[in-house]
Amino acid sequence: MSNTVLLAPAPVSAPVAPARHLHAVVDAAPAASAPAAPAGVPVGTAPRGFALYVGLDELKAAADGVSLSTIVTALRQTLAELAPHAESYATVALAPAAAGGRDVDVVRLALHEPSAVARTKAETPDEDHVPGGVTIDISRRRVHIDGEASALTFKEFELLQYLVLREGRTIERTELVSSLWSHADGDEVPGERTIDVHVRRLRAKLGRYEDIVRTVRGIGYRFDRHADVVIRFGHGTPSPDRF
């Protein structure tokens, strides 16, 4: 099982309800004077938080009159009420459109939950076979053009990966600069036109498939996949932030 690109929310016909606030359920039992150590926690360690995996796609959410963003907002409001000091981070889990199985199992695997990954380690598909066209291997950070490895630089691959993970969405130059050079010192942050230079070099290495990276005049760039493009994702593939 692997991740894939599903970067724009799926179109839905049902109306999406406004954000709703969840209601906290208070324990009837009085709080203990000191927190008890959770069972099963190894000696020398302490819990620092938890992950809640939710299996639900946009269509099913819409059928319930909500959206994934609505649910995340409601959960965060409830968390702020229950534990104002808590920090939270939410990201969307991506999976192949035809992936079978339960939604929550797909989510756990897509977000690299250890026990879910352990169950799939016995499955070893032939990932060394490279077909013709363009193969973008996100997990191994490799690109093959017609079966031959393309010598992309680190930053060129980062640029291509950023666009691939946001397939079909036009990315402004300012976003590319702020995201791909987020840890650079002030003097090392390129101007927006430097992005154009990186894109030109990337397209040159893509050869006759250069049109998968399209220019949207006056705005930025977009990744457009076609029949000759294969994208491979590993368990640790980053998912684009949505919330």
Side-chain angles (χ1 to χ4, degrees):
M1 189 67 63
S2 59
N3 294 350
T4 193
V5 242
L6 181 59
L7 306 169
V12 295
S13 55
V16 175
R20 300 196 295 262
H21 188 17
L22 304 179
H23 298 287
V25 177
V26 182
D27 274 336
S33 56
V41 175
V43 176
T45 65
R48 295 291 300 271
F50 65 90
L52 173 66
Y53 296 95
V54 177
L56 183 69
D57 63 30
E58 292 281 12
L59 291 177
K60 291 177 183 175
D64 292 332
V66 294
S67 68
L68 297 186
S69 295
T70 298
I71 295 171
V72 170
T73 299
L75 288 171
R76 279 179 162 160
Q77 289 174 345
T78 300
L79 181 62
E81 178 183 303
L82 291 174
H85 292 97
E87 301 170 332
S88 67
Y89 175 81
T91 187
V92 65
L94 306 179
R102 298 191 309 158
D103 287 336
V104 70
D105 293 332
V106 173
V107 170
R108 290 170 62 201
L109 183 57
L111 296 182
H112 213 208
E113 194 269 319
S115 61
V117 172
R119 286 198 299 271
T120 66
K121 282 189 174 179
E123 301 175 10
T124 54
D126 181 11
E127 294 186 349
D128 290 324
H129 173 68
V130 178
V134 181
T135 300
I136 303 171
D137 192 330
I138 299 295
S139 61
R140 299 185 180 186
R141 302 184 65 85
R142 300 188 307 196
V143 175
H144 285 80
I145 309 294
D146 291 329
E148 297 294 329
S150 181
L152 267 60
T153 66
F154 176 81
K155 196 58 72 175
E156 287 165 355
F157 185 88
E158 277 201 326
L159 172 60
L160 179 60
Q161 174 180 270
Y162 196 90
L163 296 174
V164 165
L165 291 176
R166 292 152 183 85
E167 180 178 1
R169 176 186 150 203
T170 299
I171 309 298
E172 297 183 5
R173 292 178 177 86
T174 52
E175 179 178 339
L176 290 171
V177 171
S178 62
S179 298
L180 300 183
W181 281 269
S182 58
H183 301 297
D185 295 332
D187 294 339
E188 297 176 353
V189 177
E192 292 180 27
R193 293 304 167 189
T194 305
I195 294 294
D196 298 340
V197 175
H198 282 280
V199 170
R200 280 201 303 271
R201 291 172 178 168
L202 172 60
R203 281 177 172 157
K205 293 179 181 180
L206 292 174
R208 63 193 181 96
Y209 304 102
E210 64 176 0
D211 61 343
I212 64 175
V213 177
R214 293 189 179 275
T215 300
V216 180
R217 190 173 298 277
I219 303 178
Y221 297 98
R222 183 181 72 234
F223 173 74
D224 285 341
R225 192 193 320 208
H226 52 69
D228 292 324
V229 178
V230 174
I231 301 174
R232 290 177 173 172
F233 298 84
H235 298 306
T237 298
S239 295
D241 297 340
R242 276 265 307 278
F243 309 114

